[in-house]
Amino acid sequence: MRIWRSVVGKLWLTILLLVSFVLFILTLLLMEFMANYHIDDAKKELTTLANKIAVILENHNDERIAHSITADLSDDQTTILIVEDEKHYWESSKKGSLVPKFSVSDIFEDEKLSDAFYNHEEISLVKSHPLNTPDENNEQEMIIVGIPYKADGKYGSVFVTRSLLAINQTIKQTTKYILLAAGIAIVLTTVFAFFLSTRITYPLRKMREVAMELAKGKFHTKVPKLTHDEIGELAVAFNQMGKQVQFHINALRQEKEQLSNILSSMADGVITLNIDGTILVTNPPAERFLQAWYYDQGMNVEKGEELPPMVRELFQQVVSTQREQVIEIQLQGRTWVVIMSPLNNHSSVRGAVVVLRDMTEERRLDKLRKDFIANVSHELRTPISMLQGYSEAILDDIATSDEERKEIVQVIYDESLRMGRLVNDLLDLARMEAGHISLGVESIELHPFIEKVMRKFQKPAKEKNVELHTEWLNEVKEAVFDPDRIEQVLTNLIDNAIRHTNAGGFVKLSIQKAKNGLKLDVQDSGSGISEEDLPFVFERFYKADKARTRGRSGTGLGLAIAKHIVDAHNGSIRVHSKVNEGTTFSIYLPQKS
């Protein structure tokens, strides 16, 4: 940086110019004063000399003695003329080269001198006159003093002249000293001004450095307090300002981080829009929404179309009406509820806040609730209708024999058992889904347990001409699980397998020791499950028999209960099936080593 652009240079230059101007004016005044002083002093001296000569002439009758005394009073720079008239005068001898050429004719040729002579008046003046030297350019100023006198009744005048050359030389010498002193003063002023400006501006330069550090975010930098004057107070105030700026910056940073954390942890998506519809702020759920929109558009989204058209239309409505708007849109198979509110800036709208709520699960649960009610109503309607119909048959004495009445009562009994199973299954499923399932886990000998389960289905399998057998793929003696719950799972799976296997088919239970656990496979050669139904087999009221044929179809809750029981054991259950080839349910139960 150039010095005249800095505060030091400007302050130093200002002080230097001010002092130089004052010294210049003072030097001119001193020079004028010295010149006037020396001239006035010379005039006084010459006037005193002329008065002495006039007194001598008035008091001495002998002119020769008076002239002799006058000659002794003159020097090599002074000329004395005693003039009575143009023809009678006396002139002192010229002793030096500095004595000016001054004669009687000069007196009478000068108007002022001649008037003073004839009017007998004192006169004192300065005029140019040639010196008593042979040089061509020898004019020099001289002082002329005239004093009238009266001797023996006659008037005359004493004229004393002196050259100003000596006085001018003295003035020049004095001027040299004045200029030398002024030069020394300017040099000292320069040094002092530079030192003073540097000392004054040092704290300011430190403040500038600290301000640059503050601009870079280094708020811990402080200005040293070097003085106790206003600049020191400014340094203290500057440091306090830095602390306040750091405090407010930290507060803003904390608020920003807190807002960012809140937005990031929100389950709902949040988008902040500018007044022109551009996106300002988003959170992760909103990013997922936008990514789904970008993917739906083939990743070819033009500028200004970052939002779906329905959302952009909703934004225009919010800006125009300045009221909250709500819509529901479908995007990539998910349901989103869009709630948009205006951002007000005093009396105008400066943007909008969009809240995106993924309602897919809620809509799915709502659909499940409706399906559950429909399924329960359907499952209960058939047995209730049969109970009602056969009860009316008994009341109306339609049955004519004991055998018919026994058959009607058997149907009523079977349907009541079916309703009881349905209610019990619903209660069990509700408790499991609520997390109220309790397991009685213990170490079980597998061979007796498996034989007990398989023994229950020997008669139903024989009646349907279905081969039922057990296969041990490796030796497993004991396992740890809840025997009642696992028996419930196997009972459901084997019962389903027998019911969906035609005569001549088979149902096989395979047991093997897997890695860190026990694996049970229930395989049949039945009708199988279609590929589109496989993802839903573990949902409530799923039935492979869409016609819901009574006597063949169950309640539709068995597989859902089985999955909850296996999950409670920290295990897994999977299904593999092909239509008209058979189905295999695989159960894995982890075992502690």
Side-chain angles (χ1 to χ4, degrees), residues 420-570:
R421 288 196 305 271
L422 177 61
V423 173
N424 291 332
D425 287 346
L426 287 173
L427 292 175
D428 289 342
L429 186 60
R431 283 194 296 265
M432 292 176 184
E433 290 182 344
H436 297 157
I437 184 174
S438 58
L439 299 177
V441 178
E442 57 181 285
S443 180
I444 303 297
E445 292 186 4
L446 277 181
H447 283 275
F449 175 78
I450 296 299
E451 291 176 359
K452 175 186 174 183
V453 174
M454 298 298 287
R455 194 180 303 118
K456 294 192 299 183
F457 295 98
Q458 292 295 333
K459 183 179 179 181
K462 188 175 182 181
E463 291 177 353
K464 287 198 63 176
N465 193 22
V466 174
E467 181 184 355
L468 178 65
H469 65 278
T470 305
E471 182 180 9
W472 297 84
L473 299 179
N474 50 35
E475 184 61 28
V476 185
K477 292 183 179 180
E478 293 183 351
V480 178
F481 50 77
D482 185 336
D484 294 335
R485 294 294 185 179
I486 297 301
E487 181 180 352
Q488 183 180 358
V489 173
L490 293 176
T491 299
N492 183 275
L493 294 178
I494 296 173
D495 180 66
N496 286 342
I498 293 174
R499 285 191 293 108
H500 291 87
T501 301
N502 297 323
F506 70 89
V507 174
K508 179 175 66 175
L509 174 61
S510 302
I511 305 99
Q512 62 175 321
K513 185 177 182 180
K515 184 179 180 181
N516 299 325
L518 177 67
K519 185 178 181 184
L520 304 172
D521 293 330
V522 178
Q523 182 182 2
D524 65 65
S525 60
S527 57
I529 305 172
S530 63
E531 185 176 352
E532 58 270 17
D533 289 333
L534 282 177
F536 309 103
V537 294
F538 295 108
E539 291 188 2
R540 292 175 293 183
F541 296 107
Y542 166 77
K543 291 185 178 182
D545 181 13
K546 298 297 188 297
R548 305 182 185 271
T549 308
R550 186 177 64 85
R552 185 179 180 186
S553 189
T555 62
L557 300 174
L559 291 179
I561 294 174
K563 188 176 188 307
H564 279 287
I565 293 175
V566 175
D567 290 342
H569 283 81
N570 297 320

Side-chain angles (χ1 to χ4, degrees), residues 562-579:
K563 188 176 188 307
H564 279 287
I565 293 175
V566 175
D567 290 342
H569 283 81
N570 297 320
S572 61
I573 181 170
R574 293 180 176 85
V575 59
H576 302 280
S577 181
K578 287 187 177 180
V579 178

